[in-house]
Amino acid sequence: KAGVTQTPRYLIKTRGQQVTLSCSPISGHRSVSWYQQTPGQGLQFLFEYFSETQRNKGNFPGRFSGRQFSNSRSEMNVSTLELGDSALYLCASNLGASGSEQYFGPGTRLTVT
Amino acid sequence: GNSVTQMEGPVTLSEEAFLTINCTYTATGYPSLFWYVQYPGEGLQLLLKATKADDKGSNKGFEATYRKETTSFHLEKGSVQVSDSAVYFCALSPNYQAGTALIFGKGTTLSVSS
């Protein structure tokens, strides 16, 4: 069974631009979550989508948004990029039941200059 | 609120040494607890998990026991190898709400030398 895939793997953007990251979950998984990983803040939860609906949201500004499609693929968008948005963005999928283990993708490394 | 506290690293050990990485948590209700590992340049992999008090998760020689009375989930391994060098994250998933969001500790870097 194929794992979680994320595209692109690396991205360089300029301050003020916007960016869209993509995540394809493991087949059959209906929940997709996004996390931001930085050296200073560690791993922080952004949001979770389940059956095309946002089920949970972390404490991030509205510039961070996401969506999920009917095939469970998910996209995350960041508008008006700031230098502090430079991070590794990780996507994880699971079956959706509370307490389920999450399966992580390799991440997208975003650098904002 | 929910939070996870891990011992600060880095932890530096010689091969075959005993490993303990401390993890304590604060949570509402009865969360599920996890240890994830991140090897250099890779995403996170689940190492082990426990879903209720006194459960012991184990995998690849690593063990951790869910202790509700001390709100702890310490990771242990009897004999570490160089290949265990990685960053280890303790995490919890609240079970009082729908969803599977994980709350992570800061991570502990383990370096094992031969």
Side-chain angles (χ1 to χ4, degrees):
Chain A
K1 191 187 268 192
V4 178
T5 58
Q6 293 186 245
T7 57
R9 291 293 310 278
Y10 302 92
L11 207 47
I12 300 175
K13 290 287 188 179
T14 303
R15 210 166 27 171
Q17 289 185 316
Q18 75 166 17
V19 67
T20 299
L21 312 182
S22 181
C23 172
S24 292
I26 292 171
S27 177
H29 285 188
R30 297 168 63 192
S31 167
V32 173
S33 296
W34 290 88
Y35 296 84
Q36 182 195 65
Q37 185 176 24
T38 60
Q41 299 299 316
L43 277 156
Q44 294 185 285
F45 170 72
L46 281 153
F47 30 66
E48 177 193 6
Y49 285 86
F50 180 78
S51 293
E52 302 179 64
T53 301
Q54 187 179 87
R55 182 157 69 169
N56 282 302
K57 188 178 190 307
N59 189 26
F60 277 80
R63 299 185 297 107
F64 292 83
S65 63
R67 60 178 176 168
Q68 186 179 34
F69 302 95
S70 58
N71 62 358
S72 293
R73 190 177 70 84
S74 177
E75 288 182 346
M76 187 191 105
N77 185 76
V78 188
S79 62
T80 320
L81 284 165
E82 301 176 0
L83 296 178
D85 297 333
S86 295
L88 180 67
Y89 290 89
L90 292 165
C91 166
S93 75
N94 64 39
L95 293 170
S98 291
S100 297
E101 59 201 66
Q102 303 227 21
Y103 296 83
F104 283 81
T108 293
R109 172 73 63 184
L110 172 64
T111 302
V112 182
T113 62
Chain B
N2 300 302
S3 66
V4 175
T5 303
Q6 279 182 247
M7 61 186 289
E8 295 288 330
V11 174
T12 303
L13 296 172
S14 298
E15 207 165 24
E16 299 183 5
F18 184 84
L19 168 71
T20 299
I21 300 178
N22 290 335
C23 170
T24 57
Y25 68 90
T26 301
T28 301
Y30 303 90
S32 294
L33 301 174
F34 305 85
W35 277 99
Y36 281 85
V37 59
Q38 187 174 35
Y39 297 101
E42 298 184 14
L44 275 74
Q45 300 176 26
L46 176 69
L47 184 58
L48 52 85
K49 72 172 185 178
T51 57
K52 62 183 187 298
D54 300 325
D55 266 2
K56 177 186 281 189
S58 62
N59 185 28
K60 299 180 182 178
F62 291 90
E63 292 183 339
T65 300
Y66 190 144
R67 301 285 188 202
K68 182 153 180 66
E69 63 276 13
T70 54
T71 61
S72 65
F73 193 54
H74 305 320
L75 182 68
E76 296 182 336
K77 187 175 185 182
S79 176
V80 294
Q81 306 299 313
V82 172
S83 57
D84 294 328
S85 297
V87 182
Y88 292 81
F89 293 92
C90 184
L92 71 82
S93 179
N95 284 332
Y96 65 88
Q97 62 183 47
T100 57
L102 288 170
I103 296 161
F104 285 92
K106 293 288 190 184
T108 302
T109 299
L110 171 64
S111 178
V112 180
S113 59
S114 58

